[in-house]
Amino acid sequence: MKVGDIDSGRGVIRVEHGKGGKNRTVMLSPQLLRILRVYWRLAKPQGWLFPGRGADRPIDVQVLYSACRSARAGRRHRQAGDSPQDAKRRRRGKARKRLS
């Protein structure tokens, strides 16, 4: 995805060569737009929004899959507002109940 693929005025993202090799326009939520704006201010990407090893190539799909899996795994054991220690205590408590 390139920086120019985001149309914040209309609230859409243009996806080129998506599933089935088709170009699509998808909705852009206000929350995601805020996140992308913060990212853009910090990273100041040129060309590709998420560049790969070289600025002339996009990030590799496998890197994205791995990042999503890691984020999902970390979120799985936490509830809203929990610290990692709270989640650990809850798991210990469940394990003790099973042993009893």
Side-chain angles (χ1 to χ4, degrees):
M1 178 174 12
K2 296 186 178 183
V3 176
D5 292 339
I6 297 173
D7 186 344
S8 59
R10 291 178 41 213
V12 295
I13 300 173
R14 186 176 63 240
V15 178
E16 294 182 7
H17 309 293
K19 186 175 177 181
K22 295 182 179 179
N23 296 339
R24 292 178 171 76
T25 302
V26 296
M27 299 293 295
L28 173 62
S29 72
Q31 181 181 5
L32 180 57
L33 180 58
R34 283 191 298 274
I35 291 168
L36 288 173
R37 282 182 171 157
V38 170
Y39 167 76
W40 187 82
R41 278 189 216 113
L42 294 172
K44 298 197 181 353
Q46 304 293 317
W48 295 105
L49 186 60
F50 304 105
R53 290 187 181 261
D56 60 330
R57 298 184 58 190
I59 192 169
D60 188 68
V61 173
Q62 293 302 319
V63 174
L64 288 175
Y65 286 144
S66 177
C68 290
R69 271 196 308 272
S70 296
R72 191 172 53 234
R75 204 176 51 214
R76 205 177 292 151
H77 299 291
R78 293 180 62 185
Q79 295 176 355
D82 272 356
S83 69
Q85 291 80 18
D86 292 334
K88 188 182 247 184
R89 280 188 216 107
R90 206 172 27 261
R91 285 193 303 271
R92 277 194 210 131
K94 287 179 182 178
R96 285 186 188 128
K97 285 180 185 176
R98 281 186 288 218
L99 293 174
S100 301

